[in-house]
Amino acid sequence: MKKRITLVILLLQTIIFVAQEKDFTSSIEKAHHKKAFMNQKYLKYDIDITFGGKNRLTGTITQEPGGGKIKIEKNNGEIILFDGKEVYSVGIKEKDLAAARFDIFTWSYFLGLPYKLNDDGTIWSNFEENKWGTKNFDTGKLTFASGTGDAPDDWYVIYKNPSTNFLEGAAYIVTFGKGKEKAEKEPHAIKYNNIELVNSIPFATNWTFHMWSLKNGYEEEIGEVKLSNIKFIEEAEFVIPTKAKLVKPL
């Protein structure tokens, strides 16, 4: 009898957790109009990235909504391209190739984060409330199955505004090039600001990056991304350029 009761309790806990996960992710997807976003053919936008008071990247990104293909055309003439299988670069020095691979996947992922919550390999846990600025927001921890993407050891704490269901921000670690142990010593947070509607779909046109702790939420600012000229387009090219270099994973 005791064993049966324990199994029933475990089953009920599993049912409750699954319901929490579905409510948490689906409410964000609905608020951000996931279906309408994913039904678009291509997305194009200008991006300006600054960290530590220095410009990291200025240019234009063209991508499929789900990130299946991505192209970054920098204002200095450099190009980074993901054709759906491999990453290529044009005009980028050998010492900067690892950073190029980071760039092609990171910024498009941050833009599409509200639509990536149920991608293959996503694992959810720790649904609770945590501080974000002066308020407490609903949060869930997102981790990834082994072999997912370039950095499966990354994790995110997703912050959802309970009033709007918008994804207001996320804490995260960057294990790319450094490993999980080192990355967890300096977790960061992205805060989404200045919502604008494009075809009735909300986009944060300003992202600020911060130091982060679970106790305090986002802390001092360390970087900023500005988006402009956001538009959906019907045609785009992802042809591998002449003299392009293959950018291999680390």
Side-chain angles (χ1 to χ4, degrees), residues 13-33:
Q13 288 175 335
T14 301
I15 292 171
I16 291 170
F17 177 82
V18 170
Q20 283 181 310
E21 178 183 343
K22 184 176 180 181
D23 177 69
F24 186 83
T25 60
S26 64
S27 60
I28 293 174
E29 291 170 345
K30 184 177 180 180
H32 286 268
H33 301 280

Side-chain angles (χ1 to χ4, degrees), residues 185-203:
K185 293 179 180 178
E186 194 175 89
H188 294 160
I190 178 173
K191 182 174 178 287
Y192 294 107
N193 313 294
N194 298 354
I195 299 295
E196 293 184 9
L197 298 181
V198 179
N199 292 17
S200 299
I201 298 171
F203 288 91

Side-chain angles (χ1 to χ4, degrees), residues 128-190:
E128 54 192 17
E129 285 189 0
N130 284 297
K131 185 178 180 182
W132 188 254
T134 59
K135 300 179 180 179
N136 283 344
F137 282 173
D138 298 331
T139 64
K141 187 171 184 178
L142 174 60
T143 56
F144 303 92
S146 177
T148 304
D150 271 11
D153 287 334
D154 285 0
W155 53 252
Y156 293 80
V157 176
I158 303 297
Y159 287 78
K160 183 187 78 164
N161 186 321
S163 299
T164 64
N165 289 327
F166 276 179
L167 197 163
E168 293 280 347
Y172 64 94
I173 61 169
V174 177
T175 60
F176 186 85
K178 65 178 73 171
K180 186 176 181 180
E181 184 177 352
K182 186 176 181 180
E184 287 186 328
K185 293 179 180 178
E186 194 175 89
H188 294 160
I190 178 173

Side-chain angles (χ1 to χ4, degrees), residues 29-30 32-40 65 115 201:
E29 291 170 345
K30 184 177 180 180
H32 286 268
H33 301 280
K34 179 178 180 177
K35 185 176 180 180
F37 179 80
M38 296 302 293
N39 280 339
Q40 302 294 326
Y115 314 104
I201 298 171

Side-chain angles (χ1 to χ4, degrees), residues 1-10:
M1 177 65 73
K2 186 176 180 180
K3 185 176 181 180
R4 184 178 296 176
I5 292 173
T6 301
L7 289 173
V8 170
I9 291 172
L10 289 173

